[in-house]
Every structure is written in structure tokens, then in C-alpha cells.
């Protein structure tokens, strides 16, 4: 069983930045593909960014060039640096760990508004 705890969400003005973090329990963190998803009201949950066990990354087209995903296997942590935030980025952001099965965090709210 893996527990994921996200932090770093909040209210930010358009053009601002936030850094989300997700800490995972357990000893097999390096084996997991880690990802960030988001969901806004009335919409399906969508992939934002993912990073594989070997460090390969992929991003949704809507965040390319603005968001950066990274992982620290020594600290069981995955982070999402979000720059140039737009109102359309407003959503609940979820951390996901995938290996033998999927695990989800509880989510953290990101609101981009002036």
C-alpha cells in the first residue's frame, strides 16, 4: 500500500507560479511512474505531466513549456513546477503512482485568478 500526500496548492494571480509536491510512503518509490493529473468542475480528470522510473517525462500540450515535473527518489517525492499560470489551469491537482497498481493522492486545489 502506498500513500500519497500532495501539498503546495493555493491561490495565485495569472502569470504567477506555484510548486506542487507529492510525498509517497513505502520503499519502492523508484519503481513507480509518477504523474500529476487535474480535474476542474464538469470536466474529466486529465493527465498534466508524468515522469517514468528512468526519468523520461511527458506533458499535456496545454502545459508544455510552462510546467516541469521532477522526482527525487531519495526523498520519495515528485514535484510539479508551474509557471505562467493561466485561469484555465484552475483545478484540483492529483498525484498518481503507477507500478503494479495505481495509487492516488487526495488532491490539492490550485486557483488562478486575479
Amino acid at each position: 500500500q502506498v500513500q500519497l500526500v500532495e501539498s503546495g496548492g493555493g491561490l495565485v494571480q495569472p502569470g504567477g507560479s506555484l510548486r506542487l509536491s507529492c510525498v509517497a510512503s513505502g520503499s519502492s518509490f523508484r519503481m513507480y511512474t509518477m504523474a500529476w493529473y487535474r480535474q476542474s468542475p464538469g470536466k474529466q480528470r486529465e493527465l498534466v505531466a508524468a515522469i517514468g522510473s528512468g526519468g523520461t517525462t511527458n506533458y499535456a500540450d496545454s502545459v508544455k513549456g510552462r510546467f516541469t515535473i521532477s522526482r527525487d527518489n531519495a526523498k520519495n517525492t515528485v514535484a510539479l513546477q508551474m509557471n505562467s499560470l493561466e485561469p484555465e489551469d484552475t483545478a484540483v491537482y492529483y498525484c498518481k503512482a503507477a507500478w503494479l497498481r495505481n495509487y492516488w493522492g487526495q488532491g490539492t486545489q490550485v486557483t488562478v485568478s486575479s
Side-chain angles (χ1 to χ4, degrees):
Q1 188 77 5
V2 174
Q3 291 186 329
L4 303 172
V5 179
E6 302 107 329
S7 62
L11 173 64
V12 63
Q13 292 186 341
S17 298
L18 280 176
R19 184 176 180 86
L20 306 183
S21 292
C22 172
V23 180
S25 64
S27 58
S28 300
F29 179 81
R30 65 180 65 250
M31 303 299 294
Y32 288 88
T33 291
M34 301 300 297
W36 288 95
Y37 283 72
R38 67 186 180 188
Q39 187 170 21
S40 51
K43 294 186 178 180
Q44 288 188 332
R45 191 172 296 189
E46 62 175 358
L47 174 68
V48 176
I51 183 166
S53 57
T56 301
T57 59
N58 67 284
Y59 297 91
D61 287 343
S62 60
V63 307
K64 283 180 180 177
R66 300 188 297 124
F67 291 10
T68 302
I69 189 171
S70 61
R71 66 189 298 159
D72 184 338
N73 290 337
K75 297 181 178 180
N76 280 19
T77 299
V78 61
L80 184 69
Q81 178 66 42
M82 305 186 294
N83 298 328
S84 302
L85 282 161
E86 304 168 352
E88 293 74 21
D89 296 316
T90 296
V92 178
Y93 283 70
Y94 296 91
C95 177
K96 175 188 167 185
W99 181 31
L100 300 179
R101 55 160 289 186
N102 294 333
Y103 299 91
W104 291 91
Q106 81 288 351
T108 185
Q109 176 71 45
V110 172
T111 302
V112 185
S113 176
S114 56

